């Protein structure tokens, strides 16, 4: 079995993890256990309690995860799609409260589980604790933006802005915009909290404006600048 330290170059491509000092990155990987999940398998559920001294901070090595919740009527709302390189699950380790959302493998996935004991030790290091603070601050900004979009912006602007987020890796928010977003229309509708029919109508307009090109299970970003203009029009 390969050492988790061999994953260092691959995981360091993530902006958050890559910005950590090498000492912290190596410590995280040395203490983590590699888990393999099947498509649709849940890492944890919303409301799961994390007993004292238990739980883990997770790093996604391969595949993708959807962070979501279910309404009482069974309808799913997807908050974010996490891709390889992202770390998550820190909230319950910090506030000792239950898990906030479901974490489900979209396809086959590999995840590093950093035990709470190792996480707590790393939190005593200034560089790591500050990195966790920056992670939480970035996620808070993103959530505020989603709330603002849902309350103040048109559906078309919301679609354009979410596509731009996805083009930057959604939770990753890399500097470069990638040309293809690997998301289905059904999943995108769930992220936005709108019907598939409403999304289809808005995407048709974006296609006519040459902002996107639709494919099977993916959306090509034809013009990021066009999406930016549509996203800023309210």
């Amino acid at each position: 079995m390969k050492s988790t330290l061999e994953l260092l170059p691959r995981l360091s491509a993530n902006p958050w993890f890559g910005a950590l000092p090498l000492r912290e990155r190596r410590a995280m990987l040395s203490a983590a256990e590699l888990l393999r999940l099947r498509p649709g398998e849940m890492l944890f559920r919303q409301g799961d309690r994390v007993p004292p001294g238990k739980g883990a901070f997770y790093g996604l090595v391969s595949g993708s995860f959807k962070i979501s919740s279910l309404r009482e009527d069974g309808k799913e709302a997807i908050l974010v799609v996490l891709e390889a390189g992202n770390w998550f699950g820190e909230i319950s380790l910090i506030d000792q409260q239950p898990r906030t959302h479901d974490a489900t493998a979209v396809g086959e996935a590999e995840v590093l589980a950093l035990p709470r004991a190792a996480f707590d030790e790393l939190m005593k290091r200034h560089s790591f604790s500050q990195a966790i603070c920056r992670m939480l601050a970035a996620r808070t900004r993103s959530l505020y933006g989603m709330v603002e979009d849902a309350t103040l912006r048109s559906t078309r602007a919301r679609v354009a802005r979410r596509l731009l987020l996805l083009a930057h890796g959604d939770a990753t928010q890399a500097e470069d915009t990638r040309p293809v977003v690997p998301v289905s229309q059904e999943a995108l509708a769930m992220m936005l909290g709108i019907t598939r029919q409403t999304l289809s109508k808005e995407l048709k307009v974006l296609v006519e404006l040459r902002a996107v090109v639709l494919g099977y299970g993916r959306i090509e970003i034809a013009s990021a600048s066009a999406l930016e203009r549509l996203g800023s029009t309210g």
Side-chain angles (χ1 to χ4, degrees):
M1 183 175 179
K2 291 184 178 181
S3 167
T4 52
L5 282 173
E6 295 182 36
L7 299 171
L8 181 63
R10 189 199 311 184
L11 291 176
S12 294
N14 173 267
W16 180 82
F17 186 72
L20 284 170
L22 180 60
R23 177 190 176 203
E24 272 67 30
R25 283 180 281 159
R26 293 180 63 88
M28 289 173 68
L29 298 186
S30 295
E33 176 187 3
L34 185 63
L35 308 176
R36 292 180 173 84
L37 289 88
R38 300 181 302 275
E41 187 173 355
M42 300 186 75
L43 189 61
F44 53 76
R45 295 178 182 273
Q46 184 178 26
D48 280 354
R49 299 202 64 81
V50 182
K54 301 295 183 181
F57 182 44
Y58 299 101
L60 186 51
V61 176
S62 65
S64 61
F65 264 79
K66 62 178 179 180
I67 306 300
S68 63
S69 60
L70 290 177
R71 299 192 325 197
E72 291 184 0
D73 62 3
K75 185 175 181 179
E76 184 180 28
I78 299 176
L79 178 65
V80 69
V81 174
L82 298 175
E83 300 176 342
N86 280 287
W87 290 78
F88 61 100
E90 74 288 345
I91 295 176
S92 291
L93 301 186
I94 293 172
D95 66 9
Q96 315 293 316
Q97 297 299 307
R99 296 294 187 183
T100 57
H101 293 84
D102 296 338
T104 310
V106 176
E108 292 186 354
E110 292 182 312
V111 179
L112 286 172
L114 181 70
R116 179 195 285 272
F119 179 84
D120 289 346
E121 281 299 312
L122 282 164
M123 285 294 285
K124 297 175 183 178
R125 301 183 185 181
H126 179 77
S127 56
F128 183 80
S129 62
Q130 286 298 299
I132 292 293
C133 287
R134 287 192 295 272
M135 172 186 284
L136 291 172
R139 289 178 179 169
T140 299
R141 284 182 181 274
S142 179
L143 288 173
Y144 280 155
M146 291 179 189
V147 172
E148 179 182 315
D149 287 352
T151 55
L152 300 178
R153 299 187 186 280
S154 68
T155 301
R156 187 165 303 159
R158 290 175 60 205
V159 172
R161 290 168 66 85
R162 193 54 189 259
L163 284 173
L164 283 172
L165 279 175
L166 290 166
H168 286 280
D170 211 356
T172 304
Q173 287 307 286
E175 289 187 12
D176 296 330
T177 302
R178 56 184 168 182
V180 176
V181 175
V183 64
S184 68
Q185 293 186 37
E186 181 179 7
L188 182 57
M190 289 180 182
M191 292 178 190
L192 294 164
I194 60 179
T195 66
R196 174 70 181 275
Q197 292 74 18
T198 297
L199 176 64
S200 179
K201 182 177 68 174
E202 296 299 339
L203 286 176
K204 182 178 179 180
V205 174
L206 297 188
V207 170
E208 293 172 350
L209 294 173
R210 298 183 180 180
V212 301
V213 175
L214 304 182
Y216 181 74
R218 68 179 203 167
I219 298 174
E220 180 180 340
I221 307 299
S223 174
S225 59
L227 289 178
E228 290 173 357
R229 288 194 299 272
L230 289 165
S232 63
T233 55

Coordinates of all heavy atoms in Angstrom, one line a residue, residues 168-214:
H168 N -14.4 28.0 -11.6 CA -13.2 28.2 -10.7 C -13.1 27.1 -9.7 O -12.2 27.2 -8.8 CB -13.3 29.6 -10.0 CG -13.1 30.8 -10.9 ND1 -11.8 31.2 -11.3 CD2 -14.0 31.6 -11.6 CE1 -11.9 32.2 -12.1 NE2 -13.2 32.5 -12.3
G169 N -13.9 26.0 -9.8 CA -13.7 24.9 -8.9 C -14.7 25.0 -7.8 O -14.5 24.2 -6.8
D170 N -15.7 25.8 -7.8 CA -16.7 26.0 -6.8 C -16.1 26.3 -5.4 O -15.7 27.4 -5.1 CB -17.6 24.7 -6.7 CG -19.0 25.0 -6.2 OD1 -19.3 26.2 -5.9 OD2 -19.9 24.1 -6.2
A171 N -15.8 25.2 -4.6 CA -15.2 25.5 -3.3 C -13.7 25.9 -3.4 O -13.2 26.5 -2.5 CB -15.4 24.2 -2.4
T172 N -13.1 25.4 -4.5 CA -11.6 25.7 -4.6 C -11.3 27.2 -4.9 O -10.5 27.8 -4.4 CB -11.0 24.8 -5.7 OG1 -11.3 23.5 -5.4 CG2 -9.5 25.0 -5.8
Q173 N -12.1 27.7 -5.9 CA -11.9 29.1 -6.3 C -10.5 29.4 -6.8 O -9.8 30.3 -6.3 CB -12.4 30.1 -5.3 CG -13.9 30.2 -5.1 CD -14.6 30.4 -6.5 OE1 -14.6 31.5 -7.0 NE2 -15.2 29.4 -7.0
A174 N -10.1 28.6 -7.7 CA -8.7 28.8 -8.4 C -8.8 30.1 -9.2 O -9.9 30.5 -9.6 CB -8.4 27.6 -9.2
E175 N -7.6 30.6 -9.5 CA -7.6 31.9 -10.3 C -8.0 31.7 -11.7 O -8.8 32.5 -12.2 CB -6.2 32.5 -10.2 CG -5.8 33.0 -8.9 CD -4.4 33.7 -8.9 OE1 -3.9 34.0 -10.1 OE2 -3.9 34.0 -7.9
D176 N -7.6 30.6 -12.3 CA -7.9 30.4 -13.7 C -9.3 29.8 -13.9 O -9.7 28.9 -13.2 CB -6.9 29.5 -14.4 CG -5.5 30.1 -14.4 OD1 -5.4 31.4 -14.4 OD2 -4.5 29.4 -14.3
T177 N -10.0 30.3 -14.9 CA -11.3 29.7 -15.3 C -11.1 28.5 -16.2 O -10.4 28.6 -17.2 CB -12.2 30.8 -16.0 OG1 -12.3 31.9 -15.2 CG2 -13.6 30.2 -16.3
R178 N -11.7 27.4 -15.9 CA -11.6 26.2 -16.7 C -12.7 26.3 -17.8 O -13.8 26.8 -17.6 CB -11.6 24.9 -15.9 CG -12.9 24.8 -15.1 CD -12.8 23.5 -14.3 NE -13.8 23.5 -13.3 CZ -14.0 22.5 -12.4 NH1 -13.1 21.5 -12.4 NH2 -14.9 22.6 -11.5
P179 N -12.4 25.7 -19.0 CA -13.3 25.8 -20.1 C -14.6 24.9 -20.0 O -15.6 25.2 -20.6 CB -12.5 25.4 -21.3 CG -11.5 24.5 -20.7 CD -11.2 25.0 -19.4
V180 N -14.5 23.9 -19.2 CA -15.7 23.0 -19.1 C -16.0 22.7 -17.6 O -15.2 22.5 -16.8 CB -15.4 21.6 -19.7 CG1 -16.5 20.6 -19.5 CG2 -15.1 21.8 -21.2
V181 N -17.3 22.8 -17.3 CA -17.8 22.6 -16.0 C -18.5 21.2 -16.0 O -19.5 21.0 -16.6 CB -18.8 23.6 -15.5 CG1 -19.4 23.3 -14.2 CG2 -18.2 25.0 -15.5
P182 N -18.0 20.2 -15.2 CA -18.5 18.9 -15.3 C -19.7 18.7 -14.3 O -19.7 18.1 -13.3 CB -17.4 18.0 -14.8 CG -16.6 18.9 -13.9 CD -16.7 20.3 -14.4
V183 N -20.8 19.3 -14.7 CA -22.0 19.3 -13.9 C -23.3 19.1 -14.7 O -23.4 19.6 -15.8 CB -22.2 20.6 -13.1 CG1 -22.4 21.8 -14.0 CG2 -23.3 20.5 -12.1
S184 N -24.2 18.2 -14.3 CA -25.4 18.0 -15.0 C -26.4 19.1 -14.8 O -26.3 19.8 -13.8 CB -26.0 16.6 -14.6 OG -26.5 16.7 -13.2
Q185 N -27.3 19.3 -15.7 CA -28.4 20.3 -15.5 C -29.2 20.0 -14.2 O -29.6 20.9 -13.5 CB -29.2 20.4 -16.7 CG -28.5 20.9 -17.9 CD -29.4 21.2 -19.1 OE1 -30.5 21.6 -19.0 NE2 -28.9 20.9 -20.3
E186 N -29.4 18.7 -13.9 CA -30.2 18.4 -12.8 C -29.5 18.8 -11.5 O -30.1 19.4 -10.6 CB -30.4 16.9 -12.7 CG -31.3 16.4 -11.5 CD -31.5 14.9 -11.5 OE1 -30.9 14.2 -12.4 OE2 -32.3 14.5 -10.7
A187 N -28.2 18.6 -11.4 CA -27.4 19.0 -10.2 C -27.3 20.5 -10.1 O -27.4 21.0 -9.0 CB -26.0 18.4 -10.3
L188 N -27.2 21.2 -11.2 CA -27.1 22.6 -11.2 C -28.4 23.2 -10.7 O -28.4 24.2 -9.9 CB -26.8 23.2 -12.6 CG -26.6 24.7 -12.7 CD1 -25.6 25.2 -11.8 CD2 -26.3 25.1 -14.2
A189 N -29.5 22.7 -11.1 CA -30.8 23.1 -10.7 C -31.0 22.9 -9.2 O -31.5 23.8 -8.5 CB -32.0 22.4 -11.4
M190 N -30.5 21.8 -8.7 CA -30.5 21.5 -7.2 C -29.6 22.6 -6.4 O -30.0 23.0 -5.4 CB -30.0 20.1 -6.9 CG -30.9 19.0 -7.3 SD -30.3 17.4 -6.9 CE -31.5 16.3 -7.6
M191 N -28.5 22.9 -7.0 CA -27.6 23.9 -6.4 C -28.3 25.3 -6.3 O -28.2 26.0 -5.3 CB -26.4 24.1 -7.2 CG -25.4 22.9 -7.2 SD -24.0 23.3 -8.2 CE -23.2 21.6 -8.3
L192 N -29.1 25.6 -7.3 CA -29.8 26.9 -7.3 C -31.1 26.9 -6.7 O -31.7 28.0 -6.5 CB -29.9 27.4 -8.8 CG -28.5 27.7 -9.5 CD1 -28.7 27.7 -11.0 CD2 -28.0 29.0 -9.0
G193 N -31.7 25.7 -6.4 CA -33.0 25.7 -5.8 C -34.1 26.0 -6.7 O -35.1 26.6 -6.3
I194 N -33.9 25.7 -8.0 CA -34.9 26.0 -9.0 C -35.3 24.7 -9.7 O -34.6 23.7 -9.6 CB -34.5 27.1 -10.0 CG1 -33.2 26.6 -10.8 CG2 -34.2 28.4 -9.3 CD1 -32.7 27.5 -11.8
T195 N -36.4 24.8 -10.5 CA -36.8 23.6 -11.2 C -35.9 23.3 -12.5 O -35.3 24.3 -13.0 CB -38.3 23.7 -11.7 OG1 -38.4 24.7 -12.7 CG2 -39.2 24.0 -10.5
R196 N -35.9 22.1 -12.9 CA -35.1 21.8 -14.1 C -35.6 22.5 -15.3 O -34.9 23.0 -16.2 CB -35.2 20.3 -14.4 CG -34.6 19.8 -15.6 CD -33.1 19.8 -15.6 NE -32.5 19.4 -16.9 CZ -32.3 18.1 -17.2 NH1 -32.5 17.1 -16.3 NH2 -31.7 17.8 -18.3
Q197 N -37.0 22.7 -15.4 CA -37.6 23.5 -16.5 C -37.1 24.9 -16.5 O -36.8 25.5 -17.6 CB -39.1 23.4 -16.4 CG -39.7 22.0 -16.6 CD -39.5 21.0 -15.5 OE1 -39.2 21.5 -14.3 NE2 -39.6 19.8 -15.7
T198 N -37.1 25.5 -15.3 CA -36.7 26.9 -15.3 C -35.2 27.1 -15.7 O -34.8 28.0 -16.4 CB -36.8 27.5 -13.8 OG1 -38.2 27.5 -13.5 CG2 -36.3 28.9 -13.7
L199 N -34.4 26.1 -15.2 CA -32.9 26.2 -15.6 C -32.8 26.0 -17.1 O -32.0 26.7 -17.7 CB -32.2 25.1 -14.8 CG -30.7 25.0 -15.2 CD1 -29.9 26.2 -14.9 CD2 -30.1 23.8 -14.5
S200 N -33.5 25.1 -17.6 CA -33.4 24.8 -19.1 C -33.7 26.0 -19.9 O -33.0 26.3 -20.9 CB -34.4 23.7 -19.5 OG -34.3 23.4 -20.8
K201 N -34.7 26.8 -19.5 CA -35.1 28.0 -20.2 C -34.0 29.1 -20.1 O -33.6 29.7 -21.1 CB -36.4 28.6 -19.5 CG -36.9 29.9 -20.2 CD -38.2 30.4 -19.6 CE -38.0 30.9 -18.2 NZ -39.2 31.5 -17.7
E202 N -33.4 29.2 -18.9 CA -32.3 30.2 -18.7 C -31.0 29.8 -19.5 O -30.3 30.6 -20.1 CB -32.0 30.4 -17.2 CG -33.1 31.0 -16.4 CD -33.5 32.3 -16.9 OE1 -32.7 33.0 -17.6 OE2 -34.7 32.8 -16.6
L203 N -30.7 28.5 -19.5 CA -29.5 28.0 -20.2 C -29.7 28.2 -21.7 O -28.7 28.5 -22.4 CB -29.3 26.5 -19.9 CG -28.7 26.2 -18.5 CD1 -28.6 24.7 -18.3 CD2 -27.4 26.9 -18.3
K204 N -30.9 28.1 -22.2 CA -31.2 28.3 -23.6 C -30.8 29.7 -24.0 O -30.2 30.0 -25.0 CB -32.7 28.0 -23.9 CG -33.0 28.2 -25.4 CD -34.5 27.9 -25.7 CE -34.8 28.0 -27.1 NZ -36.3 27.7 -27.4
V205 N -31.2 30.7 -23.1 CA -30.8 32.1 -23.4 C -29.3 32.2 -23.3 O -28.7 33.0 -24.2 CB -31.5 33.0 -22.3 CG1 -31.0 34.4 -22.5 CG2 -33.0 32.9 -22.4
L206 N -28.6 31.6 -22.4 CA -27.2 31.7 -22.3 C -26.5 31.1 -23.6 O -25.5 31.6 -24.0 CB -26.6 31.0 -21.1 CG -27.1 31.6 -19.7 CD1 -26.3 30.9 -18.6 CD2 -26.9 33.1 -19.6
V207 N -27.1 30.1 -24.1 CA -26.6 29.5 -25.3 C -26.8 30.5 -26.5 O -25.8 30.7 -27.3 CB -27.3 28.2 -25.7 CG1 -26.9 27.7 -27.1 CG2 -26.9 27.1 -24.7
E208 N -27.9 31.1 -26.6 CA -28.2 32.1 -27.6 C -27.3 33.3 -27.5 O -26.9 33.9 -28.5 CB -29.7 32.6 -27.5 CG -30.7 31.5 -27.9 CD -32.1 31.9 -27.6 OE1 -32.3 33.0 -27.0 OE2 -33.0 31.1 -28.0
L209 N -26.9 33.6 -26.3 CA -26.0 34.8 -26.1 C -24.5 34.3 -26.2 O -23.6 35.1 -26.0 CB -26.2 35.4 -24.7 CG -27.5 36.1 -24.5 CD1 -27.7 36.5 -23.0 CD2 -27.6 37.3 -25.4
R210 N -24.3 33.1 -26.6 CA -23.0 32.5 -26.8 C -22.1 32.6 -25.6 O -20.9 32.7 -25.7 CB -22.3 33.2 -28.0 CG -23.0 33.0 -29.3 CD -22.3 33.7 -30.5 NE -23.0 33.5 -31.7 CZ -22.6 33.9 -32.9 NH1 -21.5 34.6 -33.0 NH2 -23.3 33.7 -34.0
A211 N -22.7 32.4 -24.4 CA -22.0 32.4 -23.2 C -21.6 31.0 -22.8 O -20.5 30.8 -22.2 CB -22.8 33.0 -22.0
V212 N -22.4 30.0 -23.2 CA -22.2 28.6 -22.8 C -22.5 27.7 -24.0 O -23.3 28.1 -24.9 CB -22.9 28.1 -21.6 CG1 -22.6 29.0 -20.4 CG2 -24.5 28.2 -21.8
V213 N -22.0 26.5 -24.0 CA -22.4 25.4 -24.9 C -22.7 24.2 -24.1 O -22.0 23.8 -23.2 CB -21.2 25.1 -25.9 CG1 -21.6 23.9 -26.7 CG2 -20.8 26.3 -26.7
L214 N -23.9 23.6 -24.3 CA -24.3 22.5 -23.5 C -23.8 21.2 -24.1 O -23.8 21.0 -25.3 CB -25.9 22.5 -23.4 CG -26.5 23.8 -22.9 CD1 -28.0 23.6 -22.9 CD2 -26.0 24.2 -21.5

